[in-house]
Amino acid sequence: MFDIQITGTNIRYADGGISVVHVQFRANDSESTVTLNGYIPISAEDYQGNESIPALKNVVRTKLIERLTPEAE
């Protein structure tokens, strides 16, 4: 399992509201042999209600899994 650390958020606004949030993260596996870092863009809808660090970790984990295991075409 990866230990995910949220290192920052960058909130983008449009038309007076949030348009997208870039959630910066760093992740290491339990043996520290694999490291991931970057940002995951999430929609305003995904961000609302998930502003806390534990909730953002879950959102990032879910989005990473989606990107690492794409459906076969």
Side-chain angles (χ1 to χ4, degrees):
M1 178 177 270
F2 279 87
D3 175 38
I4 296 175
Q5 297 176 340
I6 303 301
T7 59
T9 56
N10 186 354
I11 300 173
R12 310 256 174 152
Y13 294 93
D15 300 322
I18 296 173
S19 63
V20 68
V21 178
H22 292 178
V23 182
Q24 292 90 19
F25 72 94
R26 182 176 47 239
N28 295 321
D29 70 341
S30 60
E31 298 173 3
S32 294
T33 57
V34 177
T35 302
L36 300 170
N37 64 60
Y39 73 90
I40 297 289
I42 61 173
S43 66
E45 293 81 21
D46 286 341
Y47 183 67
Q48 291 177 330
N50 291 310
E51 297 92 345
S52 71
I53 297 300
L56 284 176
K57 284 182 180 184
N58 288 331
V59 171
V60 167
R61 185 180 315 279
T62 300
K63 299 286 186 180
L64 279 174
I65 290 169
E66 289 172 2
R67 288 186 178 209
L68 292 171
T69 56
E71 292 184 32
E73 295 183 21

